C-alpha cells in the first residue's frame, strides 16, 4: 500500500512538473495578446518593447514627480504636467532610450493674474510655437509663447450655457491648427467646451446623446416622486480625455460606462468627433472597441476596461489606455484590435496608475501618476511590420502590403488580421480564388463575398458555353424524348398500319 | 423478418411508402389521413426520413458556406448535435401520445412517430440543395438562403400539426390546443429528467467521495 502511494506521489510530481514547464514558458508570452474571431485570447509576440522608464531619479530632478496628470508630445519633446508640484517639465528625447530635462516651467512672464500655476493638468504645443496650459485651480487656460511670455488666456465663459455658479476647472485641452481650444472641464457633462482663437467661447460640442430604453420610462412612470429622485438620472457622459489627430478630428474617451452597454456596443467609450460633434469612429471589427472582452474580477481588478487616454497615429491607428488593468489597446482604422499589452505591476512595461498616453512617431509614451514616471515604448520588428503593412495598403501598394503581412504571419500565425490583410492584398491583385482561401480561414464573410462575387463572374464567363449546353440538355432533351415517344405512339395506333 | 427481406414486394412497398412522403408534404390533410387509415406509410420509410434528416444536419456542418454557418469545431460534439433533433422528437412523440391518448386521440405511439417523421420530409429535401446554394451566393444575396431556411422549418411545423390533426381525428382548435399542451408536456419532462440526472449525479458523487475518504484513511 505504501509503495503504491509512493508511486502515485511520484506520478503526481511528474505531472505537476510537466505541466508547470510549458506554463512557465507561456507566462512570458502573456504580455501581448489579441482576440481571434471566436473572441478567444491568442497570445502574440510583443509588438512593443520598453526603451526606458524615466522617473525623477533618471531625469536628474531633485523633487519627485507628484501625481502628474498631463502628457504631450511635440516633435521630439515630451511635456509633462507635474500637477502636484505646479510645474511643467519639458523633456527632450536625445536618443531612443534617453530623456533629458530641457527646462522646468513653473512660472511665466506678463499677464495680469498669478504668474505661477496651480495644479496644471494638461499642456498642448502647437506648430506655430505656442504652449497652452490648462491651469486647473486658477480657472484658466493659458497661452504662452515659447519664451514663456503671456499671450492670452481663456477663462470662465460668460455665457448662459455655462452654469455661472460653477467654477471653471479645465482638465484636458487640445488645440487645432487654427488655434481653437477644445477643453474638458471638471463637472461638465455637456461635451467639449470650445473656444475660438480670439478667446471667445463658442459653446459645447460633441456631447453624447442621452439614451434610455422604454423599460426605464415605464419604471419612472410607475415610481413615486421619492423613488424617482433615488433613481439614476440620465445625463450625458463626461469625457475623460481627448486627442486631436492629424486630420483635425478629435478622439475622446470616457470611463463612465457600464459593462452591459459595452458588450452591446452602445457605450462607445472611444469616439472620433467631426466638426459637427458627431461620432464617426469606424467599428467594423468583430466586437466593439471596448478593450478587454472578458473582465472577471480577480487580482484586485474588476469591471470593464476604463479608458483614461487615447492617442491616434498618422495612419489612423489609435491606442487607448486602460487605467483598470494598465493595458494599452491598439486598433486599426476599421476598429479591429491589433494588439493589447501591458498590465499593473512594478516591472518595466507595467504600470501602477497609468493616466496619460501620447505617441512620438510610432513610439508610445505613457505617464504613470503613482510611480511618477514616464515609460517609452518602441515597436518591435513585429509591431513595425504591422504598421508597414497598414501604411502600404493605405498608400495603394497592395502587393507590398501583402508581402509585409506574410512577414507578420511568419512571426505570429494566430494573427487574424494578417490573413485578412493578405486576402485584401490578393483581392486588389484580382487573385480572387487565393483571396477567398485566406478570408475563409479567418471568417471574413464581407471580404469573402467581394472576392467570391468576382470569382463567380469570371467562372460564369469562362463556362458560359457549358452552362448553356447543360441548360439545353436538362430542358430540351426530355422534351424531345417526349415528342419522339408521342410520334411513335401515334404511328403504333395509326389505322393505316393496323391493317397489315 | 429476414425472410421478408428476400421478398420483392417488401421493397416495392417500402419504396411506395417512401414515395408517399412526397404526396404527404404537398397534400398534408389527405396524405396524413391515408398514411395511417389507408396504411400507406411504413415505419421503415419514417426511419429513413429521420436518418436523412440527421444526415443532412451533419452534412450542413462542414459543407455550408462559412458565411451562413460558423462552426466552432472545438465545441462540436456530434452526438449532442444529433440529440438536438432526436431528443425533442422523442419528447414530442411521447408527450403527444401521452396527452392525446387521454383525450380521444386515435393515434398510437407508433403512428405519432411515423407521422412526425413524415412531417420532417421538407427538411432534408430543402436543406440539402441549400448547402449547395450557400456556396454560390454572396453576403448580399443571403436573404434567399435565410428565407428558404425559414420556409423549410415553417413547412415542417405546419406538416406536423396537420399530421397530428389527421391521425388523432381532431378538429383544428383541439389540435392547436394539444400542440401547445404537448410543448408544455415536453418542458415538464425535461424538468423531471434534469431533476433525475442531478439527483443521480449527486448520489454517485456521494459514494465516490465516500470511497475516496475510505481509501485516504487506509
Amino acid at each position: 500500500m505504501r509503495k503504491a502511494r509512493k508511486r502515485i506521489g511520484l506520478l503526481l510530481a511528474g505531472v505537476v512538473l510537466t505541466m508547470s514547464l510549458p506554463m512557465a514558458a507561456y507566462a512570458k508570452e502573456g504580455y501581448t495578446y489579441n482576440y481571434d474571431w471566436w473572441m478567444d485570447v491568442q497570445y502574440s509576440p510583443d509588438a512593443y518593447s520598453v526603451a526606458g522608464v524615466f522617473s525623477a531619479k533618471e531625469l536628474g530632478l531633485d523633487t519627485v514627480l507628484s501625481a502628474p496628470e498631463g502628457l504631450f508630445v511635440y516633435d521630439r519633446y515630451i511635456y509633462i504636467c507635474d500637477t502636484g508640484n505646479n510645474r511643467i517639465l519639458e523633456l527632450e528625447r536625445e536618443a531612443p532610450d534617453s530623456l533629458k530635462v530641457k527646462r522646468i516651467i513653473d512660472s511665466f512672464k506678463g499677464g495680469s493674474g498669478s504668474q505661477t500655476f496651480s495644479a496644471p493638468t494638461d499642456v498642448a504645443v502647437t506648430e506655430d510655437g505656442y504652449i497652452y496650459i490648462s491651469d486647473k485651480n486658477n480657472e484658466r487656460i493659458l497661452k504662452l509663447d515659447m519664451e514663456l511670455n503671456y499671450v492670452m488666456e481663456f477663462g470662465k465663459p460668460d455665457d448662459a450655457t455655462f452654469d455661472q455658479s460653477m467654477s471653471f476647472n479645465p482638465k484636458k485641452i487640445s488645440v487645432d491648427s487654427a488655434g481653437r481650444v477644445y477643453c474638458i472641464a471638471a463637472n461638465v457633462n455637456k461635451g467639449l467646451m470650445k473656444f475660438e482663437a480670439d478667446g471667445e467661447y463658442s459653446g459645447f460640442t460633441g456631447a453624447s446623446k442621452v439614451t434610455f430604453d422604454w423599460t426605464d420610462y415605464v419604471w419612472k412612470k410607475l415610481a413615486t416622486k421619492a423613488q424617482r429622485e433615488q433613481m439614476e438620472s440620465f445625463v450625458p457622459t463626461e469625457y475623460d480625455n481627448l486627442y486631436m489627430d492629424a486630420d483635425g478630428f478629435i478622439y475622446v474617451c470616457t470611463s463612465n460606462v457600464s459593462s452591459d452597454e459595452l458588450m452591446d456596443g452602445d457605450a462607445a467609450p472611444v469616439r472620433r468627433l467631426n466638426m459637427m460633434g458627431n461620432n464617426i469612429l469606424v467599428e467594423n471589427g468583430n466586437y466593439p472597441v471596448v478593450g478587454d472582452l472578458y473582465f472577471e474580477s480577480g487580482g484586485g481588478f474588476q469591471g470593464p476596461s476604463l479608458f483614461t487616454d487615447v492617442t491616434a497615429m498618422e495612419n489612423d491607428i489609435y491606442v487607448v489606455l486602460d487605467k483598470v488593468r494598465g493595458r494599452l489597446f491598439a486598433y486599426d482604422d476599421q476598429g479591429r484590435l491589433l494588439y493589447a499589452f501591458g498590465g499593473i505591476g512594478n516591472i518595466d512595461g507595467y504600470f501602477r496608475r497609468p493616466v496619460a498616453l501620447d505617441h512620438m512617431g510610432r513610439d508610445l509614451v505613457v505617464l504613470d501618476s503613482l510611480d511618477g514616471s514616464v515609460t517609452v515604448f518602441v515597436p518591435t520588428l513585429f509591431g513595425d511590420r504591422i504598421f508597414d503593412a497598414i501604411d502600404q495598403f493605405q498608400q495603394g501598394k497592395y502587393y507590398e502590403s501583402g508581402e509585409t503581412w506574410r512577414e507578420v504571419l511568419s512571426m505570429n500565425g494566430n494573427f487574424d488580421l494578417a490573413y485578412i490583410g493578405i486576402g485584401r492584398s490578393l483581392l486588389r491583385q484580382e487573385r480572387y480564388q487565393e483571396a477567398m482561401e485566406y478570408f475563409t480561414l479567418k471568417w471574413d464573410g464581407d471580404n469573402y463575398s467581394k472576392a467570391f462575387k468576382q470569382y463567380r463572374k469570371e467562372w460564369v464567363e469562362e463556362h458560359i458555353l457549358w452552362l448553356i449546353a447543360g441548360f439545353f440538355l436538362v430542358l430540351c432533351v426530355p422534351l424531345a424524348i417526349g415528342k419522339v415517344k408521342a410520334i411513335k405512339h401515334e404511328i403504333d395506333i395509326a389505322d393505316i398500319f393496323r391493317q397489315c | 423478418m429476414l425472410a421478408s427481406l428476400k421478398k420483392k414486394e417488401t421493397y416495392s412497398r417500402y419504396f411506395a411508402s417512401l414515395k408517399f412522403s412526397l404526396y404527404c408534404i404537398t397534400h398534408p390533410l389527405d396524405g396524413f389521413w391515408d398514411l395511417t387509415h389507408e396504411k400507406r406509410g411504413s415505419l421503415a420509410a419514417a426511419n429513413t426520413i429521420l436518418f436523412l434528416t440527421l444526415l443532412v444536419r451533419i452534412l450542413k456542418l462542414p459543407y455550408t458556406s462559412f458565411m451562413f454557418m460558423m462552426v466552432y469545431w472545438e465545441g462540436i460534439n456530434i452526438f449532442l448535435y444529433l440529440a438536438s433533433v432526436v431528443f425533442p422528437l422523442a419528447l414530442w412523440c411521447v408527450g403527444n401520445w401521452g396527452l392525446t391518448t387521454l383525450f380521444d386521440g386515435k393515434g398510437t405511439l407508433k403512428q405519432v412517430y411515423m407521422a412526425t417523421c413524415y412531417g420532417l420530409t421538407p427538411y432534408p429535401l430543402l436543406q440539402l440543395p441549400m448547402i449547395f446554394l450557400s456556396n454560390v451566393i454572396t453576403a448580399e444575396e443571403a436573404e434567399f438562403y435565410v428565407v428558404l431556411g425559414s420556409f423549410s422549418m415553417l413547412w415542417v411545423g405546419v406538416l406536423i400539426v396537420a399530421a397530428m390533426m389527421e391521425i388523432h381525428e381532431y378538429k383544428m382548435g383541439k389540435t392547436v390546443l394539444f400542440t401547445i399542451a404537448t410543448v408544455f408536456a415536453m418542458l415538464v419532462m425535461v424538468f423531471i429528467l434534469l431533476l433525475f440526472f442531478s439527483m443521480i449525479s449527486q448520489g454517485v458523487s456521494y459514494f465516490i467521495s465516500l470511497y475516496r475518504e475510505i481509501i485516504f484513511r487506509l
Side-chain angles (χ1 to χ4, degrees):
Chain A
M1 194 70 214
R2 191 176 287 169
K3 209 173 176 185
R5 224 196 292 172
K6 202 173 172 186
R7 203 176 292 160
I8 289 170
L10 262 176
L11 198 75
L12 270 177
V15 168
V16 168
L17 203 71
T18 44
M19 275 173 72
S20 62
L21 278 177
M23 269 163 80
Y26 275 118
K28 178 80 179 71
E29 289 175 16
Y31 185 62
T32 308
Y33 62 94
N34 200 338
Y35 293 106
D36 67 4
W37 193 89
W38 296 105
M39 298 188 184
D40 287 343
V41 173
Q42 296 289 357
Y43 288 110
S44 125
D46 288 348
Y48 273 95
S49 61
V50 177
V53 180
F54 304 92
S55 58
K57 196 178 144 215
E58 282 83 8
L59 295 169
L61 292 166
D62 297 334
T63 32
V64 178
L65 271 69
S66 161
E69 281 185 27
L71 177 74
F72 189 83
V73 170
Y74 178 75
D75 198 16
R76 55 196 172 86
Y77 298 99
I78 299 173
Y79 296 83
I80 297 169
C81 282
D82 191 359
T83 311
N85 293 329
N86 299 327
R87 61 179 182 176
I88 287 149
L89 305 174
E90 189 180 39
L91 313 176
E92 187 181 359
R93 194 172 176 208
E94 293 175 314
D97 57 350
S98 94
L99 286 185
K100 210 187 79 183
V101 178
K102 207 178 140 211
R103 60 178 167 176
I104 297 170
I105 305 168
D106 51 8
S107 62
F108 58 90
K109 299 182 275 286
S112 53
S114 158
Q115 291 187 337
T116 55
F117 311 116
S118 175
T121 49
D122 203 8
V123 57
V125 177
T126 54
E127 302 241 328
D128 46 5
Y130 292 104
I131 307 177
Y132 293 76
I133 297 162
S134 73
D135 197 0
K136 187 177 160 195
N137 288 353
N138 282 338
E139 303 196 9
R140 61 184 177 181
I141 298 166
L142 288 164
K143 182 181 179 183
L144 311 175
D145 66 10
M146 274 301 177
E147 279 69 50
L148 305 181
N149 293 312
Y150 175 91
V151 178
M152 63 182 288
E153 70 177 53
F154 304 84
K156 179 174 173 177
D158 184 18
D159 194 278
T161 56
F162 190 84
D163 186 357
Q164 292 298 316
S165 63
M166 257 178 13
S167 58
F168 171 61
N169 297 120
K171 280 200 308 188
K172 297 287 168 191
I173 53 166
S174 200
V175 186
D176 71 5
S177 52
R180 282 186 288 259
V181 176
Y182 297 85
C183 153
I184 296 170
N187 307 320
V188 170
N189 59 15
K190 290 176 187 166
L192 305 174
M193 296 175 70
K194 184 178 168 190
F195 294 91
E196 296 299 329
D198 57 3
E200 193 197 337
Y201 173 69
S202 65
F204 292 101
T205 177
S208 58
K209 285 193 188 71
V210 177
T211 53
F212 64 97
D213 61 272
W214 62 273
T215 47
D216 294 321
Y217 183 78
V218 172
W219 274 121
K220 287 230 161 175
K221 281 279 163 199
L222 293 173
T224 62
K225 201 176 176 193
Q227 282 172 327
R228 238 179 322 216
E229 275 163 9
Q230 287 282 307
M231 282 183 188
E232 66 170 325
S233 53
F234 300 103
V235 290
T237 48
E238 206 176 318
Y239 292 127
D240 278 44
N241 219 324
L242 78 171
Y243 181 84
M244 171 113 18
D245 74 2
D247 302 326
F249 295 108
I250 302 170
Y251 281 88
V252 289
C253 59
T254 175
S255 60
N256 296 316
V257 287
S258 74
S259 40
D260 291 345
E261 285 176 329
L262 280 177
M263 290 329 280
D264 294 346
D266 297 335
V270 184
R271 295 168 204 183
R272 191 182 189 212
L273 306 177
N274 63 5
M275 286 299 138
M276 304 290 290
N278 296 324
N279 182 13
I280 54 159
L281 191 77
V282 183
E283 293 197 48
N284 285 343
N286 297 321
Y287 35 87
V289 178
V290 294
D292 272 321
L293 301 180
Y294 307 105
F295 24 87
E296 298 92 357
S297 28
F301 312 123
Q302 57 175 350
S305 304
L306 298 178
F307 297 140
T308 178
D309 202 358
V310 55
T311 187
M313 309 199 188
E314 279 75 20
N315 46 14
D316 288 338
I317 291 175
Y318 54 98
V319 185
V320 284
L321 176 63
D322 165 25
K323 68 180 174 190
V324 179
R325 292 176 184 80
R327 284 177 184 156
L328 294 151
F329 297 89
Y331 291 91
D332 73 354
D333 56 341
Q334 296 294 309
R336 296 176 297 198
L337 185 65
L338 294 173
Y339 35 77
F341 61 97
I344 298 285
N346 288 318
I347 341 170
D348 288 2
Y350 292 78
F351 317 107
R352 289 169 72 193
R353 190 190 292 154
V355 286
L357 164 75
D358 210 329
H359 72 97
M360 186 184 283
R362 287 177 179 181
D363 302 348
L364 290 173
V365 186
V366 180
L367 180 67
D368 191 329
S369 163
L370 195 62
D371 208 31
S373 67
V374 174
T375 307
V376 179
F377 287 97
V378 290
T380 60
L381 182 67
F382 175 66
D384 251 337
R385 282 293 167 273
I386 296 174
F387 278 116
D388 289 343
I390 292 171
D391 276 344
Q392 284 161 347
F393 193 85
Q394 285 177 353
Q395 290 159 14
K397 298 176 187 162
Y398 302 120
Y399 176 76
E400 289 83 351
S401 169
E403 291 306 302
T404 317
W405 276 123
R406 272 177 218 274
E407 247 181 275
V408 173
L409 195 60
S410 71
M411 286 183 267
N412 180 10
N414 286 331
F415 195 38
D416 284 15
L417 284 181
Y419 291 87
I420 293 166
I422 294 170
R424 284 174 76 191
S425 152
L426 290 168
L427 180 61
R428 296 287 183 148
Q429 294 169 48
E430 304 188 348
R431 289 155 68 181
Y432 303 120
Q433 207 175 352
E434 291 163 79
M436 276 155 60
E437 274 170 36
Y438 278 96
F439 294 138
T440 310
L441 278 174
K442 290 301 168 192
W443 313 91
D444 191 338
D446 292 335
N447 279 319
Y448 175 86
S449 273
K450 279 183 203 162
F452 179 68
K453 207 173 176 179
Q454 299 302 322
Y455 173 70
R456 189 176 61 181
K457 205 175 129 200
E458 278 184 1
W459 191 89
V460 168
E461 279 166 7
E462 255 172 56
H463 298 81
I464 189 73
L465 275 178
W466 289 106
L467 284 176
I468 292 174
F471 190 71
F472 181 78
L473 277 175
V474 167
L475 219 77
C476 299
V477 168
L479 213 74
I481 290 173
K483 265 274 185 315
V484 168
K485 270 188 177 168
I487 292 169
K488 216 173 161 190
H489 180 71
E490 220 147 87
I491 293 171
D492 283 350
I493 58 161
D495 290 338
I496 40 168
F497 295 115
R498 199 165 274 183
Q499 280 145 9
C500 13
Chain B
M1 182 69 195
L2 273 174
S4 77
L5 281 177
K6 285 182 184 142
K7 278 190 226 151
K8 207 179 169 190
E9 51 264 39
T10 312
Y11 292 100
S12 61
R13 168 151 163 66
Y14 167 70
F15 283 115
S17 61
L18 196 58
K19 208 178 162 193
F20 185 65
S21 67
L22 296 179
Y23 181 78
C24 278
I25 60 172
T26 44
H27 309 74
L29 297 181
D30 193 21
F32 284 115
W33 179 269
D34 288 359
L35 188 75
T36 52
H37 295 89
E38 305 284 329
K39 299 211 167 23
R40 293 187 65 179
S42 72
L43 212 55
N47 288 334
T48 311
I49 293 165
L50 179 61
F51 175 74
L52 286 176
T53 305
L54 296 177
L55 189 71
V56 167
R57 202 162 157 73
I58 292 178
L59 286 178
K60 269 179 76 161
L61 278 180
Y63 296 118
T64 301
S65 170
F66 76 96
M67 281 190 294
F68 302 101
M69 196 156 196
M70 284 153 174
V71 186
Y72 187 64
W73 287 105
E74 287 87 339
I76 290 280
N77 179 340
I78 205 80
F79 295 109
L80 277 182
Y81 191 69
L82 291 182
S84 70
V85 177
V86 177
F87 187 63
L89 181 76
L91 283 183
W92 165 267
C93 292
V94 173
N96 189 277
W97 171 73
L99 276 174
T100 51
T101 203
L102 297 175
F103 293 91
D104 311 330
K106 297 291 186 290
T108 62
L109 182 58
K110 182 186 148 188
Q111 286 171 344
V112 170
Y113 168 73
M114 198 164 79
T116 310
C117 285
Y118 268 74
L120 288 176
T121 313
Y123 186 86
L125 220 55
L126 282 180
Q127 297 277 347
L128 194 65
M130 273 170 63
I131 295 174
F132 174 74
L133 179 72
S134 77
N135 284 296
V136 294
I137 57 177
T138 60
E140 294 122 61
E141 298 141 15
E143 276 77 14
F144 292 107
Y145 183 86
V146 175
V147 166
L148 208 56
S150 345
F151 176 67
S152 76
M153 299 315 284
L154 199 72
W155 197 357
V156 167
V158 169
L159 284 182
I160 289 176
V161 172
M164 292 307 116
M165 191 159 114
E166 292 306 308
I167 61 164
H168 293 312
E169 297 174 24
Y170 278 176
K171 290 268 185 318
M172 192 64 215
K174 205 173 174 186
T175 312
V176 171
L177 185 73
F178 275 90
T179 305
I180 295 164
T182 307
V183 171
F184 276 104
M186 287 163 78
L187 290 178
V188 169
M189 279 189 282
V190 166
F191 172 71
I192 290 170
L193 281 174
L194 279 178
L195 207 67
F196 182 71
F197 279 120
S198 96
M199 292 288 279
I200 292 279
S201 65
Q202 296 247 338
V204 168
S205 69
Y206 168 74
F207 285 108
I208 286 175
S209 59
L210 205 66
Y211 167 78
R212 281 204 183 127
E213 193 75 7
I214 291 166
I215 284 297
F216 188 68
R217 312 245 163 210
L218 275 179

